Amino acid sequence: MRADVRQVADGAYLVHGGETNWVILTEGDAVTLIDTGYPADRERLLDSLAQVGGSPEAIVAVLVTHAHNDHLGSAEHLRTAHGAPVLLHPAEVPHARREFLQQVSVGTVLANGWRPGVLPWAVHALRSGGTERRPVAAPEPFPAASGPLDLPGRPVPVHTPGHTDGHAVFHLPEAGVVVSGDALVSGHATSRLKGPQLLPAMFHHDRDRAVASLDVIGELPADVLLPGHGPVHRGSVREAADRARERAV
């Protein structure tokens, strides 16, 4: 199964999987992987690594924006089979262990089934492992010190709670890129909107905090947005965050 891999900057690639994106950062033979798609995206994930000249063994670390199954799907496999540490914001670590679950419920999805796109999305999510129990047995928190991680791409974690309590985006200052996970997207199967936006309200654990986190994202100097859902967005990230806030009112 071929993955749709788009190079967006030197050593930075956005990959479109089964309705969810992940990001590959390369430096020589080493790789940082940000998010992993659904469990059913594993073949696409491995193909995307091969397309950029990488491999599972080359992964120095798996960074996870948040611990939903469409982003966490192959994280434990990469940890156990290939020794890649799985790193998240400290507040998201217990979520990755599945000590609790901050995710839209089946009941809420069914109650919103009349909305365009919701039922087809739900069927895809079920078939892709969206409701499976996929904990990471030994997730690790980012280092306490702020600043870039000592990993390919030198990503800087930035806490952006709301979608989940420990959601984080990753800023690549040298490349002018923000990897925004589900804190700021450019499209979704359940949304009729195109371009910068928040996910529909049912997907956020705390929508008010999700809206507030747009201010944090808007402060990051960048002109390329790599979202968890939707295509790459080019242009001021501050303006993208402002646009999403306007649409969220």
Side-chain angles (χ1 to χ4, degrees), residues 11 38 76 96-97 159 164 178 199 240:
Y38 278 105
E76 177 67 357
R97 288 196 296 256
H159 189 206
T164 64
V178 172
L199 286 171

Side-chain angles (χ1 to χ4, degrees), residues 178-200:
V178 172
V179 182
S180 58
D182 283 5
L184 175 58
V185 303
S186 61
H188 192 263
T190 63
S191 173
R192 291 180 171 179
L193 300 175
K194 303 296 182 184
Q197 60 189 281
L198 285 177
L199 286 171

